[in-house]
């Protein structure tokens, strides 16, 4: 039978492995996003068929990449939060890594800068991709009666909802994605 100390040790090792895997996935998401979004944007703008069919989906790709990134950030901080609030207190008279980091906010500053930089870049990507998408013939082909502009309005509203949702998600999860404090 496993002792409490062995169990805590195994949990800590498992969580550290999860943190490593999460950091790797975050890097891959950022790398993929920084390559895929501009490349697909370029292909959509230079190829009329791609613009018509892939262009309207481009903003959703940016939203998915953004959600994936913040899901990984959330998982990373969740592991750190568990280490700080459950594992570290069970080892008395020892300064734990997560508690030590949180006692020095300047050491978590880069996590916030990285998340903010990602968000700024992907907001630019999002609004640029919305412009590309609304330029496509797909939205222009939606007609309601004699009104051709309704397709553009429908597309604009769809993408505006996406932008509002992205902002609300960011505001709601910002603190938890950049700190292990309660």
């Amino acid at each position: 039978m496993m002792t409490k100390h062995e169990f805590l040790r195994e949990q800590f090792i498992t969580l550290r492995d999860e943190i490593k895997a999460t950091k790797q996935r975050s890097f891959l998401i950022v790398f993929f996003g920084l390559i895929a979004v501009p490349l697909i944007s370029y292909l959509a703008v230079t190829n009329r068929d791609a613009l018509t069919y892939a262009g309207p989906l481009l903003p959703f790709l940016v939203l998915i990449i953004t959600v994936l990134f913040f899901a990984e950030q959330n998982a990373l901080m969740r592991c750190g939060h568990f280490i700080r609030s459950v594992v570290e207190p069970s080892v008395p008279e020892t300064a734990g890594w997560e508690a030590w980091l949180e006692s020095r906010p300047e050491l978590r500053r880069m996590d916030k800068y990285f998340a903010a930089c990602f968000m700024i870049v992907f907001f630019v990507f999002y609004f640029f991709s919305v412009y590309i998408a609304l330029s496509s013939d797909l939205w222009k082909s939606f007609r309601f009666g004699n009104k051709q502009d309704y397709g553009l309005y429908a597309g604009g509203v769809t993408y505006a909802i996406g932008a509002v949702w992205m902002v609300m998600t960011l505001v709601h999860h910002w603190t938890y994605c950049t700190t292990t404090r309660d």
Side-chain angles (χ1 to χ4, degrees), residues 16-96:
R16 294 306 295 172
D17 288 343
E18 177 61 24
I19 288 169
K20 288 178 193 174
T22 299
K23 293 291 267 181
Q24 183 178 17
R25 287 189 301 266
S26 292
F27 173 79
L28 290 174
I29 290 166
V30 171
F31 181 77
F32 173 78
L34 290 175
I35 299 298
V37 173
L39 179 64
I40 294 171
S41 298
Y42 173 77
L43 293 174
V45 169
T46 59
N47 181 326
R48 196 74 186 154
D49 289 336
L51 177 61
T52 299
Y53 300 108
L57 299 177
L58 190 57
F60 299 117
L61 174 65
V62 175
L63 285 176
I64 289 168
I65 291 169
T66 304
V67 168
L68 286 173
F69 175 78
F70 277 98
E72 289 302 321
Q73 280 295 110
N74 193 296
L76 178 75
M77 291 299 166
R78 189 172 49 241
C79 289
H81 188 269
F82 185 83
I83 290 170
R84 187 180 66 75
S85 61
V86 175
V87 176
E88 290 177 356
S90 26
V91 184
E93 300 176 18
T94 303

Side-chain angles (χ1 to χ4, degrees), residues 86-127:
V86 175
V87 176
E88 290 177 356
S90 26
V91 184
E93 300 176 18
T94 303
W97 173 252
E98 292 296 330
W100 180 79
L101 274 177
E102 288 301 331
S103 70
R104 292 162 177 79
E106 69 276 2
L107 299 176
R108 287 274 189 204
R109 198 171 295 144
M110 187 49 80
D111 295 328
K112 291 178 182 176
Y113 292 165
F114 180 65
C117 180
F118 177 89
M119 205 61 222
I120 291 167
V121 168
F122 276 78
F123 260 111
V124 169
F125 279 178
Y126 183 75
F127 289 112

Side-chain angles (χ1 to χ4, degrees), residues 150-167:
Y150 283 150
L152 291 175
Y153 297 144
V157 167
T158 300
Y159 299 133
I161 290 169
V164 168
W165 177 78
M166 189 166 29
V167 169

Side-chain angles (χ1 to χ4, degrees), residues 155-177:
V157 167
T158 300
Y159 299 133
I161 290 169
V164 168
W165 177 78
M166 189 166 29
V167 169
M168 289 176 66
T169 301
L170 172 65
V171 168
H172 183 72
H173 292 284
W174 178 259
T175 300
Y176 202 75
C177 288

Side-chain angles (χ1 to χ4, degrees), residues 2-12 82:
M2 189 181 284
T3 67
K4 180 181 177 182
H5 177 72
E6 290 170 334
F7 178 71
L8 285 171
R9 183 176 184 273
E10 290 301 314
Q11 272 192 321
F12 180 77
F82 185 83

